[in-house]
Amino acid sequence: MEPATSRTAGSRTRRGRHRRLARERVAADKKIARRQGAWICFQDESGVSLLPVVRATWAPKGVTPVLHHRFSWKRMSMAGVLAYRHDRSRSAFVFSMTDGAYNTDKLIEFLTELRTHFAGEKVIVIWDGLMAHRSRAMTAWLATQRDWLHVERLPAYAPELNPIEQVWGNMKSTELANLCPDTLDEVRVATESGLTRIGSSYDLCHSFLDHTGLSL
């Protein structure tokens, strides 16, 4: 553990180390991907609920918009992968949704579906240090999947280096912006619509990668 004391920022600040490490790992993964013909996949999870995603909007002068919603913490979660070819020739966005949160078992199901989606092609998954990503059950399962799956971890506390974070933000600021649903089904429909929109745009998927400062 590091002491919680303030220090002057310098050339070895955490953000700089994050980007250097991430670039080195992605560069190494790119070489593996080129050699094996693998997809480079950035993975993450996110959640939505009946609580509205409040965003700035337009209204007549002097009329403040008011959101009326059910104060409920019922929620659902999304797991997704932004996948790229090493030469940027192709991209893909794969996602799934579930009630509640993703645990190890649900993530293993998602990765199994990912293998089917890519028809058995080799895949490199880059993800964060979520407990479900490094549980004993996940570690044991990954050890049995080495013929098609290679996993790398992003530097700690660096969500800005994962392009799929931009996916969640884009969808929540568009399809879910100021939405006041009565049921999770309404949230599910809006979420699926937004994620499908994003996945259908090559330019958008690559703009999220460019936003991180990483390159393929």
Side-chain angles (χ1 to χ4, degrees):
M1 296 180 65
E2 297 184 22
T5 55
S6 60
R7 291 177 289 182
T8 302
S11 61
R12 293 182 60 81
T13 55
R14 181 178 295 276
R15 184 175 297 272
R17 293 199 299 272
H18 282 165
R19 292 199 173 277
R20 184 178 68 252
L21 288 172
R23 289 193 184 98
E24 291 172 355
R25 292 177 185 177
V26 171
D29 290 336
K30 182 179 178 179
K31 292 179 181 178
I32 296 173
R34 182 171 59 246
R35 184 171 63 250
Q36 299 183 350
W39 288 88
I40 299 176
C41 300
F42 293 87
Q43 193 277 341
D44 193 37
E45 303 83 18
S46 186
V48 291
S49 72
L50 293 181
L51 298 179
V53 179
V54 180
R55 292 292 185 268
T57 186
W58 296 97
K61 185 175 181 180
V63 180
T64 302
V66 178
L67 299 179
H68 299 277
H69 66 90
R70 297 176 181 273
F71 191 82
S72 172
W73 290 104
K74 288 183 179 179
R75 60 188 292 113
M76 54 175 288
S77 298
M78 308 159 289
V81 154
L82 261 179
Y84 304 93
R85 285 300 195 186
H86 70 88
D87 59 357
R88 296 176 64 105
S89 61
R90 294 173 63 191
S91 64
F93 176 54
V94 184
F95 68 91
S96 68
M97 294 182 286
T98 187
D99 292 336
Y102 274 90
N103 55 24
T104 296
D105 290 339
K106 290 182 179 181
L107 283 174
I108 288 176
E109 290 179 8
F110 173 71
L111 292 173
T112 301
E113 293 170 359
L114 190 68
R115 182 179 190 179
T116 301
H117 178 85
F118 287 119
E121 293 186 78
K122 293 186 181 298
V123 167
I124 300 170
V125 168
I126 303 172
W127 59 14
D128 59 25
L130 183 74
M131 181 61 71
H133 294 169
R134 50 191 175 86
S135 67
R136 289 185 178 181
M138 178 62 77
T139 300
W141 182 80
L142 290 174
T144 68
Q145 307 298 312
R146 291 174 180 168
D147 60 319
W148 72 279
L149 178 60
H150 177 78
V151 173
E152 290 284 354
R153 189 178 301 175
L154 283 166
Y157 309 112
E160 74 277 6
L161 298 180
N162 194 339
I164 201 170
E165 294 283 355
Q166 299 296 316
V167 171
W168 311 138
N170 183 283
M171 180 273 296
K172 291 178 181 179
S173 295
T174 307
E175 281 77 13
L176 296 189
N178 301 317
L179 178 67
C180 298
D182 291 321
T183 67
L184 277 179
D185 282 341
E186 294 178 60
V187 180
R188 192 186 310 274
V189 170
T191 297
E192 185 170 357
S193 174
L195 297 181
T196 300
R197 168 183 60 81
I198 291 169
S200 65
S201 173
Y202 173 95
D203 290 337
L204 197 54
C205 288
H206 279 82
S207 72
F208 295 150
L209 178 64
D210 294 338
H211 184 82
T212 66
L214 304 176
S215 62
L216 296 181

